[in-house]
Amino acid sequence: MTVPDIIIAVDGYSSTGKSSLAKQIARSLGFTYLDSGALYRGVTLFAQREGYISPDNTVSDSLQAALDSLQLFFGEGNHCFMDGEDVEEQIRSMSVSSQVSPIAAVPYVREWVDCRLHSLSFSGRVVMDGRDIGTTVFPNAEVKIFMTASDSVRAKRRYDELVSKGQKADLTEVLENLRQRDWIDSHRETSPLRRAEDAFVLDNSEMTMEEELCWVRGLIQGKFGILE
Ligand code: DC
């Protein structure tokens, strides 16, 4: 399928499989995949390591100036690198997951991430996943998908993911963390998680990845009148 140079925004709740689907779309169309959540996670890891966030989730104002020198980028295997170090595993840990929402609620952190997302996608042909891509970062994205799934399905997926990576996990704790993140993400003042009016909703509670990809390809074909 030959698709024009467009931006595809995949937003939605935590652990709905946004990144898995976005990666598949990118592979299937030959697009670049950008994981905006990884940048928020990277900033969180940085804030934890440098002591800019306290255990009670208070974020120090000095983080703003410190971000000027932070080098976060995507390297080999689409892993996230911080100042040259591969931090892909650390940014997915429960420790980072439990503090990423307060960090992502800070307006200057959001500006910092948005700025990077814009520079990384200047040439188009990008699939990006996050919470506010279709509403704030790229309100003119040509294709917008909003993903959702039941809490229990999402918690089980996240739990399985952690266990498969050899990390310690507790299903109840994972479910609690997920609900907390959903709440903070959709109630924060700056750029809350919400469906863009022109986004198509995909509830994948009972769908396989093939079915999801087929749904997206159908959406793109319908929108651009492409025949396979
Ligand atoms: O998609 P994820 O779970 O890796 O995202 C981590 C956190 O980052 C999530 O709790 C909300 C935040 N986030 C955001 O606020 N805006 C985005 N565009 C992407 C992620």
Side-chain angles (χ1 to χ4, degrees), residues 11-15 18-19 35-41 44 91-92 97 100-102 104-105 110 113-114 117 129-133 137 158 181-182 185 188 190-191 193:
D11 289 306
Y13 293 98
S14 303
S15 302
K18 296 183 297 293
S19 64
D35 176 356
S36 65
L39 296 179
Y40 287 105
R41 287 173 178 274
T44 306
I91 62 165
R92 310 283 164 198
S97 295
V100 64
S101 282
R110 301 205 70 82
V113 169
D114 291 359
L117 292 173
D129 78 325
R131 302 295 189 291
D132 62 339
I133 308 300
V137 187
R158 180 87 186 111
R181 284 203 287 148
D182 285 349
D185 294 343
R188 67 177 171 232
T190 315
S191 230
L193 166 68

Side-chain angles (χ1 to χ4, degrees), residues 147-166:
M147 292 182 68
T148 183
S150 74
D151 286 9
S152 52
V153 166
R154 293 189 290 133
K156 182 68 172 58
R157 283 181 188 153
R158 180 87 186 111
Y159 171 84
D160 289 344
E161 188 188 330
L162 288 168
V163 170
S164 73
K165 286 181 185 156

Side-chain angles (χ1 to χ4, degrees), residues 46-199:
F46 171 72
Q48 288 177 332
R49 284 183 173 178
E50 304 294 322
Y52 293 116
I53 183 164
S54 63
D56 71 352
N57 292 344
T58 309
V59 182
S60 156
D61 290 342
S62 350
L63 173 63
Q64 183 163 15
L67 286 179
D68 287 344
S69 57
L70 173 61
Q71 299 284 333
L72 265 190
F73 61 93
F74 296 107
E76 219 187 311
N78 228 357
H79 283 196
C80 184
F81 285 75
M82 182 191 294
D83 297 324
E85 175 193 351
D86 183 342
V87 290
E88 186 63 27
E89 204 177 310
Q90 287 98 314
I91 62 165
R92 310 283 164 198
S93 67
M94 275 304 279
S95 150
V96 166
S97 295
S98 65
Q99 291 203 298
V100 64
S101 282
I103 288 281
V106 176
Y108 63 76
V109 171
R110 301 205 70 82
E111 266 172 44
W112 188 90
V113 169
D114 291 359
C115 182
R116 256 136 207 90
L117 292 173
H118 276 274
S119 59
L120 287 168
S121 48
F122 71 98
S123 57
R125 299 185 74 77
V126 164
V127 187
M128 200 176 301
D129 78 325
R131 302 295 189 291
D132 62 339
I133 308 300
T135 51
T136 305
V137 187
F138 285 102
N140 297 326
E142 288 82 353
V143 175
K144 298 182 187 178
I145 299 164
F146 188 83
M147 292 182 68
T148 183
S150 74
D151 286 9
S152 52
V153 166
R154 293 189 290 133
K156 182 68 172 58
R157 283 181 188 153
R158 180 87 186 111
Y159 171 84
D160 289 344
E161 188 188 330
L162 288 168
V163 170
S164 73
K165 286 181 185 156
Q167 295 192 21
K168 253 178 73 184
D170 173 87
L171 189 56
T172 318
E173 196 187 322
V174 171
L175 179 62
E176 190 48 37
N177 170 257
L178 194 132
R179 285 184 175 148
Q180 259 174 17
R181 284 203 287 148
D182 285 349
W183 199 91
I184 301 178
D185 294 343
S186 33
H187 288 82
R188 67 177 171 232
E189 237 168 76
T190 315
S191 230
L193 166 68
R194 64 178 174 81
R195 181 178 79 84
E197 276 172 23
D198 50 350

